[in-house]
Amino acid sequence: MAMEKRLIKKGELAGIVGRIAGDMSLLAPVKEEDNVLFELVKDGVTALPDFKNTKNAPKSFFFPRSETLMRYIRKQKGMEFAGLEKDEQGERVLFGVRPCDARSFAILDLLFDQDKYKDPYYIEKRNKTTVVAMSCAKVPYATCFCTSVGGSPTSTDGSDVLLTDLGDEFLAEFLTDKGKGLLKYFGDKTADAQADKKKEEIAASAEKEIKTSIPAKEIKGFLDANFEHPFWDTIHKKCLACGTCTFMCPTCHCFDIQDEVKAADGKRVRNWDSCMFPLFTKETSGHNPRPSQKERWRQRFMHKFRYYVDMFGPIACVGCGRCVMSCPVNIDIRKIVADISKL
Amino acid sequence: MQNPYVPIPVVVSKIITEVDTKDIKTFRLSFVNKEDEENFKYIPGQFAELSIFGKGESPIGIASSPTQKGYIEFTVQKAGQVTSFLHEMEEGTPMGVRGPLGNSWPLEFLEGKNIVVVGGGFAFTTLRSLINYMLHEDNRKRFGDITVIYGARNPGLLIYKDELEEWGKRKDLNLNVTVDKGDPSWKGREGFVPAVCKEVAPSSDNAVAVICGPPIMIRFTLPVFFDLKFSKENIITSLEMRMKCGIGKCGRCNVGHKYVCKDGPVFSLAELDNLTKEY
Ligand SMILES: Cc1cc2nc3c(=O)[nH]c(=O)nc-3n(C[C@H](O)[C@H](O)[C@H](O)COP(=O)(O)OP(=O)(O)OC[C@H]3O[C@@H](n4cnc5c(N)ncnc54)[C@H](O)[C@@H]3O)c2cc1C
Ligand code: SF4
Ligand code: SF4
Ligand code: FES
């Protein structure tokens, strides 16, 4: 069956967003001080008609910064299980996700939704959420490099609906059954071959606009062969081990599990953690298999460009550039890839 | 969907203090629900997360053998937050367990072969599980000669003393217990594990060595087996990395592209050669 496509007038989009937001929770890019963040659209909070990308990666809607896994309560002889935390939110729509960030969902699915161990917290939220992505008809940042890591400004990976700005109109492509659930909001103007052609042109010109091209796939052979190499002694030198890069990253998924306990009850929570922190792998005995920032940086890099590829296929970087923009000491993952390719 | 983060309710049914220094205890846990007991199917070499609400979780090797029915056992050294709390517990206290987790000693691969088990210190736990499994009357004939070399710093630090005595009486097991330094009442062997291995290890013909112990013991024991021409495929060990989730999600315990919690903790030396040296 051919894919359902609709054309909507530019001016209609705000109304569509409003109607969906009236029926279910809808999160969209909203201006918050000088940042753009995903927020619940409601009275007084409107989705931005035009934006580059959100400051934070939207992974937090499936894998929150801090999440209660279960609760327990004090009984006579100690704490006993008192139930899971119910996800009170119903169906929701993440509206205006950039294709790189949507791809991060597809990449994280491989980990959280594996055959053997399924992560029910992540999967439940993922199942309840329809992802409406917005193509980058204009490439937002000079730091973008999605095309080097398997994505593109019009990539559909991880999205249920893809919107593309064709100039006067938006093309809406309904990619999954979940996406088709939103068809009724988009009117009945089906897209014609001309719209498809226009989209292809826009996709091609957007790809050309991307300034950075790095051989991210090509360095795999070097990484496989050079766990030990003098190069690893260079990257981390100015790193502050602040963890910002991992918290901003849409594909970083490492977490810690902690108990938060009061006198009568408590909860077990998981919190984002970071391979950039010395304590991450430190054992009680004091032994640390990654004793310095050198090993930690190598781990972060190898995890993205070698281990994740071996484990699941794709590179665990979507080229969003967030780590490049937010590192306080300007460590640039693109430059590391480029430098390695010259070794 | 099953929730792999929720612990199975158990009760501490027996606590055995193993060593003179009192910082290693064996905890026998009994399942609160019969069906949980039936579903907890494990193989020697696997581990579980011992879970105490309000304190946290610790990955600990399963020290009992699946041939022992009705309970599971863990031998725990007092170390930090969770293990110290465990050591304060009394029999009858409820707690939780998540597992079984990880791969296991490669039982099918071991079948029909002569087995040398080498253990040092309290890392003997999952080796004890393996030995009891192999010695069980349903299983003994599926394995060839069994040689066990087990060492501790001094006699007071040997764990499973009653069992060692029982094993010592058996004809179908060559047991060699050694201490670095004896005391006046010690009648057994004195000497380091590698030296004892050199003396008693069988030929590498159709033999597999299963080795687990402190890094220093491993470092000096491996050359003994290399000299005996044991191939790297036939030397098996178990790794330890800091863990949290135990199910390959939290990203903490990887060695190269393998998660020790999910793909390990058991690896052959040949497999370790293909991984990064970071453990
Ligand atoms: C596969 C495996 C099997 C093990 N088997 C045994 C055993 O049979 N007996 C035994 O006494 N110990 C064993 N250990 C080590 C044991 O897990 C740690 O000593 C224990 O987790 C320390 O926890 P704690 O809360 O007391 O210390 P804390 O310092 O409070 O530790 C905090 C948390 O960090 C993690 N952690 C810290 N050190 C380690 C470590 N070395 N390995 C894994 N996680 C760690 C745990 O999640 C722990 O709860 C094993 C470790 C692994 C990986
Ligand atoms: S590594 Fe950097 S560029 Fe790549 S996805 Fe993560 S934050 Fe974005
Ligand atoms: S953001 Fe920069 S300084 Fe901070 S941990 Fe990452 S690389 Fe190091
Ligand atoms: S303990 Fe979480 S990945 Fe192994």
Side-chain angles (χ1 to χ4, degrees):
Chain A
M1 205 177 72
M3 195 200 296
E4 294 278 5
K5 297 179 193 180
R6 294 288 183 276
L7 282 171
I8 53 165
K9 289 246 156 43
K10 264 257 166 93
E12 289 170 351
L13 190 65
I16 291 172
V17 169
R19 276 196 296 283
I20 300 175
D23 289 350
M24 61 190 97
S25 312
L26 179 139
L27 299 126
V30 165
K31 190 138 174 76
E32 190 59 61
E33 299 189 346
D34 64 344
N35 292 319
V36 177
L37 302 172
F38 276 103
E39 281 189 15
L40 192 66
V41 171
K42 54 184 183 207
D43 282 346
V45 182
T46 41
L48 282 175
D50 202 16
F51 62 95
K52 292 183 167 202
N53 199 358
T54 51
K55 172 106 175 161
N56 296 341
K59 70 175 176 187
S60 59
F61 294 104
F62 308 126
F63 172 52
R65 192 175 295 233
S66 180
E67 172 168 41
T68 301
L69 299 178
M70 65 200 80
R71 293 183 178 275
Y72 41 87
I73 182 159
R74 188 173 298 283
K75 294 274 176 68
Q76 215 180 351
K77 290 187 157 169
M79 295 285 189
E80 286 183 32
F81 184 68
L84 297 174
E85 187 83 339
K86 284 248 166 9
D87 183 24
E88 300 294 351
Q89 302 180 68
E91 303 282 315
R92 54 187 159 169
V93 174
L94 258 184
F95 196 95
V97 178
R98 288 299 182 194
C100 57
D101 290 342
R103 265 195 88 226
S104 80
F105 306 151
I107 289 171
L108 290 175
D109 289 348
L110 299 169
L111 178 102
F112 284 116
D113 197 0
Q114 284 176 70
D115 285 344
K116 182 146 184 206
Y117 293 113
K118 298 201 176 285
D119 191 290
Y121 305 92
Y122 174 93
I123 293 171
E124 186 187 2
K125 290 192 255 306
R126 193 79 172 87
N127 286 344
K128 278 182 177 173
T129 307
T130 306
V131 176
V132 180
M134 179 70 81
S135 297
C136 296
K138 288 248 166 311
V139 171
Y141 305 108
T143 43
C144 292
F145 61 100
C146 56
T147 42
S148 295
V149 286
S152 80
T154 53
S155 165
T156 55
D157 291 351
S159 307
D160 298 301
V161 180
L162 180 69
L163 302 179
T164 305
D165 186 344
L166 301 182
D168 304 328
E169 290 171 312
F170 279 107
L171 170 66
E173 295 170 280
F174 296 82
L175 308 158
T176 64
D177 285 342
K178 212 164 29 165
K180 279 184 203 137
L182 297 179
L183 254 177
K184 62 174 184 211
Y185 296 98
F186 283 80
D188 47 17
K189 186 170 179 203
T190 52
D192 48 16
Q194 211 189 338
D196 286 343
K197 189 160 163 279
K198 189 108 191 253
K199 186 200 159 193
E200 269 169 41
E201 284 165 19
I202 284 170
S205 78
E207 280 198 28
K208 266 197 222 112
E209 251 184 68
I210 290 184
K211 305 270 185 308
T212 312
S213 167
I214 50 167
K217 293 180 185 137
E218 292 77 358
I219 60 169
K220 175 77 168 44
F222 177 91
L223 299 181
D224 286 340
N226 291 286
F227 186 72
E228 300 294 345
H229 191 283
F231 180 76
W232 299 120
D233 230 346
T234 60
I235 314 171
H236 69 286
K237 282 279 183 342
K238 56 182 180 175
C239 174
L240 308 168
C242 67
T244 303
C245 49
T246 54
F247 291 146
M248 301 307 284
C249 179
T251 64
C252 278
H253 59 78
C254 292
F255 61 85
D256 190 16
I257 301 177
Q258 287 291 336
D259 279 54
E260 288 179 5
V261 62
K262 292 179 290 189
D265 57 9
K267 53 188 185 173
R268 186 162 284 168
V269 295
R270 71 163 157 208
N271 303 317
W272 288 357
D273 204 345
S274 171
C275 60
M276 293 281 107
F277 298 155
L279 284 182
F280 188 63
T281 48
K282 189 168 179 179
E283 294 166 22
T284 312
S285 63
H287 172 65
N288 193 343
R290 295 186 204 129
S292 77
Q293 205 61 15
K294 166 188 164 177
E295 291 81 11
R296 293 167 212 139
W297 237 108
R298 178 172 61 189
Q299 162 65 19
R300 172 165 152 77
F301 193 85
M302 285 279 198
H303 190 200
K304 294 196 172 300
F305 294 95
R306 172 179 160 187
Y307 307 151
Y308 213 86
V309 177
D310 286 338
M311 283 191 253
F312 301 114
I315 290 174
C317 165
V318 294
C320 71
R322 282 189 182 83
C323 60
V324 180
M325 288 186 272
S326 32
C327 175
V329 293
N330 297 321
I331 296 179
D332 186 337
I333 203 159
R334 302 169 302 170
K335 181 169 185 311
I336 298 170
V337 171
D339 286 351
I340 286 178
S341 73
K342 291 180 207 129
L343 292 173
Chain B
M1 196 188 315
Q2 210 214 329
N3 186 322
Y5 296 95
V6 176
I8 303 162
V10 292
V11 170
V12 181
S13 50
K14 192 172 175 193
I15 302 175
I16 304 156
T17 303
E18 295 283 358
V19 293
D20 290 355
T21 47
K22 299 199 171 26
D23 60 349
I24 299 174
K25 291 183 182 176
T26 295
F27 298 85
R28 177 174 291 183
L29 308 180
S30 304
F31 292 91
V32 171
N33 305 313
K34 191 78 195 157
E35 54 172 315
D36 288 337
E37 181 181 325
E38 278 153 19
N39 290 335
F40 197 95
K41 292 197 172 59
Y42 67 98
I43 310 173
Q46 287 191 286
F47 69 97
E49 288 280 350
L50 299 192
S51 187
I52 301 173
F53 286 131
K55 293 292 162 187
E57 300 188 310
S58 270
I60 306 288
I62 307 177
S64 53
S65 151
T67 51
Q68 299 166 268
K69 301 288 179 206
Y71 59 86
I72 46 177
E73 286 182 341
F74 298 86
T75 302
V76 182
Q77 180 174 51
K78 186 172 168 173
Q81 156 120 337
V82 177
T83 54
S84 299
F85 191 82
L86 255 176
H87 270 251
E88 301 294 308
M89 272 189 171
E90 289 167 9
E91 290 174 3
T93 313
M95 57 173 281
V97 80
R98 283 201 293 125
L101 300 170
N103 63 0
S104 64
W105 299 118
L107 293 184
E108 281 175 28
F109 177 73
L110 299 183
E111 275 188 29
K113 301 197 171 103
N114 298 328
I115 312 296
V116 203
V117 175
V118 184
F122 75 102
F124 196 49
T125 61
T126 62
L127 295 175
R128 175 221 192 193
S129 169
L130 174 67
I131 295 166
N132 277 327
Y133 177 87
M134 293 191 297
L135 290 180
H136 190 267
E137 56 186 358
D138 293 349
N139 304 325
R140 182 63 191 90
K141 57 189 172 306
R142 290 194 278 131
F143 300 90
D145 295 342
I146 302 175
T147 309
V148 173
I149 299 131
Y150 168 47
R153 283 206 308 278
N154 62 57
L157 291 181
L158 290 168
I159 57 176
Y160 313 133
K161 290 188 190 68
D162 294 347
E163 222 160 41
L164 292 175
E165 204 165 301
E166 289 300 309
W167 291 348
K169 292 181 196 148
R170 292 182 71 127
K171 300 264 177 303
D172 59 352
L173 170 76
N174 174 2
L175 178 69
N176 306 271
V177 179
T178 183
V179 295
D180 297 355
K181 195 163 171 18
D183 58 26
S185 64
W186 178 248
K187 308 254 174 335
R189 250 177 213 281
E190 270 192 33
F192 294 112
V193 165
V196 178
C197 288
K198 205 170 210 160
E199 197 184 315
V200 307
S203 104
S204 56
D205 283 348
N206 194 37
V208 180
V210 184
I211 305 178
C212 206
I216 177 106
M217 181 205 93
I218 301 210
R219 180 139 53 92
F220 289 104
T221 301
L222 290 180
V224 177
F225 286 91
F226 293 148
D227 285 349
L228 287 167
K229 302 272 179 299
F230 275 76
S231 70
K232 288 189 167 176
E233 284 75 16
N234 289 339
I235 302 178
I236 320 281
T237 190
S238 185
L239 292 190
E240 194 175 313
M241 285 288 275
R242 183 168 182 174
M243 293 183 181
K244 281 288 170 176
C245 70
I247 54 173
K249 304 269 180 274
C250 76
R252 192 171 306 268
C253 72
N254 72 297
V255 173
H257 67 290
K258 298 284 185 195
Y259 281 119
V260 172
C261 65
K262 181 170 151 289
D263 308 311
V266 172
F267 296 96
S268 71
L269 290 196
E271 288 168 322
L272 289 184
D273 269 355
N274 287 325
L275 296 180
T276 59
K277 304 278 167 290
E278 198 172 49
Y279 41 83

